[in-house]
Structure formats: structure tokens, C-alpha cells
Amino acid sequence: MNFATIGRPLGCLKAVMRQTRQQRTWQRSLATAAAPETPNSTKPLLTSRQRAREERLARFQVYPELPTVRTNFKDPMPVLRQAQITMLDPTGARTRLFAKDQADAAKPGDVLMVSTKTGEPFSGVLIEIRRRGVDTAVLLRGQMMKMSVESWFKVYSPTVTAINIIWRRPKRARRARLTYMRKPEHDKGSVDNLVAAWKKERSTLRSKSGSGGVKQQKVKGKF
């Protein structure tokens, strides 16, 4: 107890106990303070408990840590994914079609037509591109029997025979996922007119190239 408070009004017992507690804490901190190192000693002075602990640890032989597999570990998955993509897409056309660094790649908002082995070609607006290596897929939104339909297509799937860009969006979309097109006021609806115009233009170009080849053969025959 602090004797400096004797003869004075204590005021409150709690204040006296607080002073006593602080004084005990200060004495305890002085008693447990580390002793300064002497100039001739190389190790600091240890307490009996610390010395006993070091003696116990000295009885055990500590071996160095063994090298783990992760020390020189190289992830084989990127090489495996690239090998699978090379096997499924030898020419690299589909990889370039949905690559981020290609200027002529397909972007959200474009109209695509996907041809498969199991059914008729499906055409719709490209809403989302999910890039997952071999599992890269695209989400198209179109219409079937006047009903809006969304369908996922795996880009590297063997069942997908062709992916064609029917129409390109004039201005780049400001979003990576055009989910707002599911609302009635933003729904593009049927894209059959764009598909018909694309097929007509394609047939015209083929016929012109074919006729040019025939004329060239006739001219060669004259000479």
C-alpha cells in the first residue's frame, strides 16, 4: 500500500487499490527485466528456467529440413492444357477467334452461328465468353419458335463443326457480359434476317469466284 496517502482523505477505495496494483506491476517489471550484457560475455544472462529449457533441447539432435516436392515443383497443367488445345484445334482458328489480343476476334454483342453434328445450326447474339482453356465456351441468345433461347457451346468440342461471325457490333460493348439483353426492352429478338443476308452474300461471293475460275479456264483453253 502506498504510504504517501496516509493522513490524507483516501477518497475512494478503488483509487487506492489502483495505485497498489500499479506499484506491484512496476516492481514486477523491474524484477523480470533482462540484465545488461557484460563486455566479456558473448551470451546474455539467462534465467534458470531458460537455462533448463536449453539443456533439454540440447539433448535432441535436430536434422535439417528435407527438400519437398514443391521446392522444384513445376505445374504441368498449363502444358497439358496447351497440348489438348493443339490436338482439338490444330490450325488455331478457334483460339484466335476468341482471343483477347486479336483485333478481328469475336466480341460480346456480335451475332454468331454455331453448326453442330447433332442438330441444325444455332444463331444468336454473343452474350458472354467464358475462357477456361479447353473448356472455353460461348453463350448465345437467339429465338426458336418465337421464344427466346440461350445456349452454351464449347468452342473446342468435337461436336461443333463450325463457328461463323454473321454480324459484328459497330460499337464495342462496354460490358463483358450482356445480361441486360434478357430484358424485353433490350432483347434483340430474332436474327434470321441477318443470317439470310449473310448466306446471300456468301453465295454471291462463291458464285463470282466460281465464274471467274471458269472464265479463266476458257481463256487458257483458247491459247
Side-chain angles (χ1 to χ4, degrees):
M1 186 174 181
N2 192 358
F3 294 96
T5 58
I6 298 177
R8 299 179 183 178
L10 298 179
C12 181
L13 183 60
K14 186 182 295 184
V16 178
M17 298 302 295
R18 188 184 302 113
Q19 293 178 3
T20 306
R21 195 181 307 110
Q22 292 176 358
Q23 191 174 14
R24 289 179 180 177
T25 306
W26 179 70
Q27 292 177 356
R28 190 182 303 112
S29 63
L30 288 179
T32 57
E37 298 183 5
T38 58
N40 297 329
S41 63
T42 57
K43 293 183 179 180
L45 297 178
L46 302 177
T47 60
S48 59
R49 181 177 299 178
Q50 293 175 347
R51 194 178 299 108
R53 183 175 179 276
E54 285 196 353
E55 290 177 357
R56 288 197 303 270
L57 293 177
R59 299 174 187 174
F60 298 95
Q61 186 176 2
V62 180
Y63 293 93
E65 185 178 358
L66 296 176
T68 60
V69 180
R70 295 181 179 275
T71 304
N72 298 323
F73 177 73
K74 187 177 180 181
D75 190 9
M77 293 307 297
V79 180
L80 179 61
R81 294 193 191 100
Q82 188 61 36
Q84 291 178 345
I85 291 174
T86 305
M87 181 182 63
L88 296 173
D89 186 23
T91 60
R94 298 188 184 183
T95 304
R96 293 190 299 270
L97 185 61
F98 297 100
K100 289 184 178 180
D101 55 350
Q102 294 292 331
D104 56 345
K107 295 177 177 58
D110 298 346
V111 178
L112 305 183
M113 184 175 69
V114 180
S115 303
T116 59
K117 296 179 181 179
T118 57
E120 296 182 358
F122 183 84
S123 56
V125 184
L126 178 60
I127 293 181
E128 181 182 352
I129 303 175
R130 186 178 62 191
R131 295 180 176 89
R132 297 291 187 276
V134 186
D135 295 331
T136 300
V138 292
L139 178 62
L140 301 183
R141 181 178 178 85
Q143 274 194 355
M144 294 180 64
M145 300 179 64
K146 298 183 180 181
M147 181 70 67
S148 296
V149 179
E150 292 184 4
S151 180
W152 282 98
F153 292 96
K154 294 291 185 70
V155 174
Y156 299 105
S157 176
T159 59
V160 176
T161 57
I163 301 176
N164 298 310
I165 300 178
I166 305 300
W167 178 80
R168 290 185 181 273
R169 186 185 177 103
K171 189 176 180 181
R172 185 181 66 86
R174 299 177 63 183
R175 300 183 184 181
R177 299 179 181 87
L178 307 183
T179 54
Y180 64 87
M181 298 189 70
R182 295 170 180 170
K183 297 181 180 180
E185 58 269 19
H186 298 292
D187 193 359
K188 195 172 184 61
S190 178
V191 294
D192 293 340
N193 55 342
L194 298 176
V195 175
W198 175 78
K199 288 182 178 180
K200 184 177 180 181
E201 182 181 0
R202 191 177 182 183
S203 63
T204 304
L205 293 175
R206 285 184 176 179
S207 63
K208 286 183 178 180
S209 61
S211 61
V214 173
K215 289 180 180 179
Q216 190 176 3
Q217 289 178 1
K218 289 182 179 179
V219 171
K220 287 183 178 179
K222 287 182 178 180
F223 290 96

Short mmCIF file of all heavy atoms in Angstrom, two decimals, residues 41-69:
data_model
loop_
_atom_site.label_atom_id
_atom_site.label_comp_id
_atom_site.label_asym_id
_atom_site.label_seq_id
_atom_site.Cartn_x
_atom_site.Cartn_y
_atom_site.Cartn_z
N SER A 41 31.18 -11.15 -21.91
CA SER A 41 30.27 -12.28 -22.18
C SER A 41 29.75 -12.18 -23.60
O SER A 41 29.46 -11.11 -24.11
CB SER A 41 29.11 -12.28 -21.19
OG SER A 41 28.35 -11.11 -21.35
N THR A 42 29.61 -13.35 -24.22
CA THR A 42 29.06 -13.41 -25.59
C THR A 42 27.57 -13.70 -25.60
O THR A 42 26.90 -13.41 -26.58
CB THR A 42 29.79 -14.51 -26.38
OG1 THR A 42 29.65 -15.75 -25.70
CG2 THR A 42 31.27 -14.16 -26.53
N LYS A 43 27.03 -14.27 -24.53
CA LYS A 43 25.62 -14.59 -24.45
C LYS A 43 24.98 -13.77 -23.32
O LYS A 43 25.62 -13.49 -22.31
CB LYS A 43 25.41 -16.09 -24.16
CG LYS A 43 25.86 -16.98 -25.31
CD LYS A 43 25.56 -18.41 -24.99
CE LYS A 43 25.97 -19.33 -26.13
NZ LYS A 43 25.66 -20.76 -25.81
N PRO A 44 23.74 -13.40 -23.49
CA PRO A 44 23.06 -12.68 -22.41
C PRO A 44 22.81 -13.61 -21.23
O PRO A 44 22.77 -14.83 -21.35
CB PRO A 44 21.75 -12.23 -23.07
CG PRO A 44 21.53 -13.21 -24.17
CD PRO A 44 22.90 -13.57 -24.66
N LEU A 45 22.65 -13.00 -20.06
CA LEU A 45 22.38 -13.78 -18.86
C LEU A 45 21.01 -14.40 -18.97
O LEU A 45 20.04 -13.73 -19.32
CB LEU A 45 22.48 -12.87 -17.63
CG LEU A 45 23.87 -12.26 -17.37
CD1 LEU A 45 23.80 -11.35 -16.16
CD2 LEU A 45 24.90 -13.35 -17.16
N LEU A 46 20.93 -15.71 -18.65
CA LEU A 46 19.68 -16.44 -18.75
C LEU A 46 19.18 -16.76 -17.37
O LEU A 46 19.95 -16.95 -16.42
CB LEU A 46 19.87 -17.74 -19.56
CG LEU A 46 20.41 -17.58 -20.97
CD1 LEU A 46 20.62 -18.96 -21.60
CD2 LEU A 46 19.48 -16.75 -21.83
N THR A 47 17.88 -16.88 -17.28
CA THR A 47 17.28 -17.31 -16.02
C THR A 47 17.41 -18.82 -15.89
O THR A 47 17.79 -19.52 -16.83
CB THR A 47 15.81 -16.89 -15.98
OG1 THR A 47 15.12 -17.51 -17.06
CG2 THR A 47 15.66 -15.38 -16.11
N SER A 48 17.11 -19.31 -14.72
CA SER A 48 17.20 -20.76 -14.50
C SER A 48 16.24 -21.52 -15.38
O SER A 48 16.55 -22.60 -15.89
CB SER A 48 16.93 -21.06 -13.02
OG SER A 48 15.65 -20.59 -12.65
N ARG A 49 15.05 -20.97 -15.61
CA ARG A 49 14.08 -21.65 -16.47
C ARG A 49 14.56 -21.69 -17.91
O ARG A 49 14.44 -22.73 -18.58
CB ARG A 49 12.73 -20.92 -16.38
CG ARG A 49 11.64 -21.55 -17.21
CD ARG A 49 10.32 -20.84 -17.03
NE ARG A 49 9.87 -20.87 -15.65
CZ ARG A 49 8.76 -20.28 -15.21
NH1 ARG A 49 8.00 -19.59 -16.06
NH2 ARG A 49 8.41 -20.34 -13.94
N GLN A 50 15.11 -20.58 -18.42
CA GLN A 50 15.62 -20.57 -19.79
C GLN A 50 16.81 -21.51 -19.95
O GLN A 50 16.96 -22.18 -20.96
CB GLN A 50 16.01 -19.15 -20.18
CG GLN A 50 14.82 -18.20 -20.28
CD GLN A 50 15.26 -16.78 -20.56
OE1 GLN A 50 16.45 -16.48 -20.44
NE2 GLN A 50 14.32 -15.92 -20.89
N ARG A 51 17.67 -21.55 -18.92
CA ARG A 51 18.83 -22.43 -18.99
C ARG A 51 18.40 -23.90 -18.99
O ARG A 51 18.94 -24.73 -19.74
CB ARG A 51 19.76 -22.16 -17.79
CG ARG A 51 21.15 -22.79 -17.94
CD ARG A 51 22.04 -22.45 -16.76
NE ARG A 51 22.25 -21.02 -16.64
CZ ARG A 51 21.69 -20.25 -15.69
NH1 ARG A 51 20.90 -20.79 -14.78
NH2 ARG A 51 21.95 -18.96 -15.66
N ALA A 52 17.40 -24.26 -18.16
CA ALA A 52 16.90 -25.64 -18.14
C ALA A 52 16.27 -26.01 -19.47
O ALA A 52 16.42 -27.14 -19.96
CB ALA A 52 15.88 -25.79 -17.00
N ARG A 53 15.60 -25.05 -20.12
CA ARG A 53 14.99 -25.33 -21.42
C ARG A 53 16.06 -25.59 -22.47
O ARG A 53 15.93 -26.50 -23.29
CB ARG A 53 14.10 -24.16 -21.84
CG ARG A 53 13.35 -24.37 -23.16
CD ARG A 53 12.40 -23.22 -23.43
NE ARG A 53 11.71 -23.40 -24.69
CZ ARG A 53 12.20 -23.05 -25.87
NH1 ARG A 53 13.41 -22.51 -25.94
NH2 ARG A 53 11.50 -23.24 -26.97
N GLU A 54 17.11 -24.80 -22.47
CA GLU A 54 18.19 -25.03 -23.43
C GLU A 54 18.88 -26.36 -23.20
O GLU A 54 19.29 -27.03 -24.16
CB GLU A 54 19.19 -23.88 -23.36
CG GLU A 54 18.70 -22.60 -24.00
CD GLU A 54 19.83 -21.63 -24.26
OE1 GLU A 54 20.96 -21.92 -23.81
OE2 GLU A 54 19.58 -20.60 -24.90
N GLU A 55 18.99 -26.75 -21.97
CA GLU A 55 19.62 -28.04 -21.68
C GLU A 55 18.76 -29.18 -22.19
O GLU A 55 19.27 -30.18 -22.71
CB GLU A 55 19.86 -28.17 -20.18
CG GLU A 55 20.95 -27.25 -19.65
CD GLU A 55 21.11 -27.36 -18.14
OE1 GLU A 55 20.32 -28.13 -17.53
OE2 GLU A 55 21.98 -26.68 -17.58
N ARG A 56 17.45 -29.08 -22.05
CA ARG A 56 16.56 -30.12 -22.56
C ARG A 56 16.61 -30.20 -24.08
O ARG A 56 16.61 -31.27 -24.66
CB ARG A 56 15.12 -29.86 -22.10
CG ARG A 56 14.89 -30.13 -20.62
CD ARG A 56 13.41 -30.26 -20.32
NE ARG A 56 12.66 -29.08 -20.74
CZ ARG A 56 12.44 -28.02 -19.95
NH1 ARG A 56 12.93 -28.00 -18.72
NH2 ARG A 56 11.76 -26.99 -20.41
N LEU A 57 16.65 -29.02 -24.73
CA LEU A 57 16.70 -29.03 -26.19
C LEU A 57 18.02 -29.55 -26.72
O LEU A 57 18.09 -30.11 -27.83
CB LEU A 57 16.46 -27.61 -26.72
CG LEU A 57 15.04 -27.04 -26.51
CD1 LEU A 57 14.97 -25.62 -27.02
CD2 LEU A 57 14.00 -27.90 -27.20
N ALA A 58 19.10 -29.36 -25.96
CA ALA A 58 20.41 -29.82 -26.41
C ALA A 58 20.52 -31.33 -26.45
O ALA A 58 21.40 -31.89 -27.12
CB ALA A 58 21.51 -29.24 -25.53
N ARG A 59 19.64 -32.03 -25.74
CA ARG A 59 19.69 -33.50 -25.74
C ARG A 59 19.20 -34.09 -27.07
O ARG A 59 19.53 -35.22 -27.40
CB ARG A 59 18.84 -34.05 -24.60
CG ARG A 59 19.32 -33.60 -23.22
CD ARG A 59 18.35 -34.07 -22.17
NE ARG A 59 18.70 -33.53 -20.85
CZ ARG A 59 17.94 -33.68 -19.75
NH1 ARG A 59 16.80 -34.37 -19.84
NH2 ARG A 59 18.32 -33.15 -18.61
N PHE A 60 18.38 -33.34 -27.81
CA PHE A 60 17.79 -33.84 -29.06
C PHE A 60 18.62 -33.36 -30.24
O PHE A 60 19.10 -32.22 -30.27
CB PHE A 60 16.35 -33.34 -29.22
CG PHE A 60 15.43 -33.82 -28.13
CD1 PHE A 60 15.19 -33.02 -27.01
CD2 PHE A 60 14.82 -35.06 -28.20
CE1 PHE A 60 14.35 -33.45 -26.01
CE2 PHE A 60 13.98 -35.49 -27.21
CZ PHE A 60 13.74 -34.70 -26.09
N GLN A 61 18.80 -34.25 -31.18
CA GLN A 61 19.53 -33.92 -32.39
C GLN A 61 18.54 -33.43 -33.45
O GLN A 61 17.59 -34.14 -33.81
CB GLN A 61 20.30 -35.14 -32.91
CG GLN A 61 21.20 -34.82 -34.09
CD GLN A 61 22.01 -36.02 -34.52
OE1 GLN A 61 21.86 -37.10 -33.92
NE2 GLN A 61 22.86 -35.86 -35.51
N VAL A 62 18.75 -32.24 -33.95
CA VAL A 62 17.84 -31.61 -34.91
C VAL A 62 18.44 -31.79 -36.30
O VAL A 62 19.57 -31.36 -36.57
CB VAL A 62 17.64 -30.12 -34.60
CG1 VAL A 62 16.69 -29.49 -35.61
CG2 VAL A 62 17.11 -29.95 -33.18
N TYR A 63 17.69 -32.45 -37.18
CA TYR A 63 18.13 -32.68 -38.54
C TYR A 63 17.64 -31.55 -39.45
O TYR A 63 16.59 -30.94 -39.18
CB TYR A 63 17.60 -34.01 -39.06
CG TYR A 63 18.19 -35.21 -38.35
CD1 TYR A 63 17.54 -35.78 -37.26
CD2 TYR A 63 19.39 -35.76 -38.76
CE1 TYR A 63 18.07 -36.87 -36.59
CE2 TYR A 63 19.94 -36.86 -38.10
CZ TYR A 63 19.28 -37.39 -37.02
OH TYR A 63 19.81 -38.47 -36.37
N PRO A 64 18.35 -31.23 -40.51
CA PRO A 64 17.87 -30.18 -41.43
C PRO A 64 16.60 -30.61 -42.14
O PRO A 64 16.33 -31.80 -42.31
CB PRO A 64 19.05 -30.00 -42.40
CG PRO A 64 19.79 -31.29 -42.34
CD PRO A 64 19.64 -31.79 -40.93
N GLU A 65 15.84 -29.64 -42.58
CA GLU A 65 14.57 -29.91 -43.25
C GLU A 65 14.81 -30.54 -44.62
O GLU A 65 15.64 -30.07 -45.40
CB GLU A 65 13.79 -28.61 -43.42
CG GLU A 65 12.40 -28.80 -43.99
CD GLU A 65 11.64 -27.50 -44.09
OE1 GLU A 65 12.20 -26.47 -43.69
OE2 GLU A 65 10.50 -27.53 -44.59
N LEU A 66 14.09 -31.61 -44.87
CA LEU A 66 14.25 -32.31 -46.14
C LEU A 66 13.61 -31.52 -47.28
O LEU A 66 12.58 -30.85 -47.08
CB LEU A 66 13.60 -33.70 -46.05
CG LEU A 66 14.23 -34.67 -45.05
CD1 LEU A 66 13.43 -35.96 -45.01
CD2 LEU A 66 15.68 -34.97 -45.41
N PRO A 67 14.17 -31.54 -48.47
CA PRO A 67 13.56 -30.84 -49.61
C PRO A 67 12.24 -31.50 -50.01
O PRO A 67 12.15 -32.72 -50.11
CB PRO A 67 14.61 -30.96 -50.72
CG PRO A 67 15.42 -32.16 -50.35
CD PRO A 67 15.43 -32.20 -48.84
N THR A 68 11.22 -30.70 -50.18
CA THR A 68 9.90 -31.20 -50.54
C THR A 68 9.72 -31.19 -52.05
O THR A 68 10.58 -30.71 -52.81
CB THR A 68 8.81 -30.35 -49.89
OG1 THR A 68 8.96 -28.99 -50.35
CG2 THR A 68 8.96 -30.36 -48.37
N VAL A 69 8.59 -31.71 -52.47
CA VAL A 69 8.29 -31.75 -53.91
C VAL A 69 8.06 -30.35 -54.45
O VAL A 69 8.35 -30.03 -55.60
CB VAL A 69 7.07 -32.65 -54.17
CG1 VAL A 69 6.73 -32.72 -55.64
CG2 VAL A 69 7.31 -34.04 -53.61
#
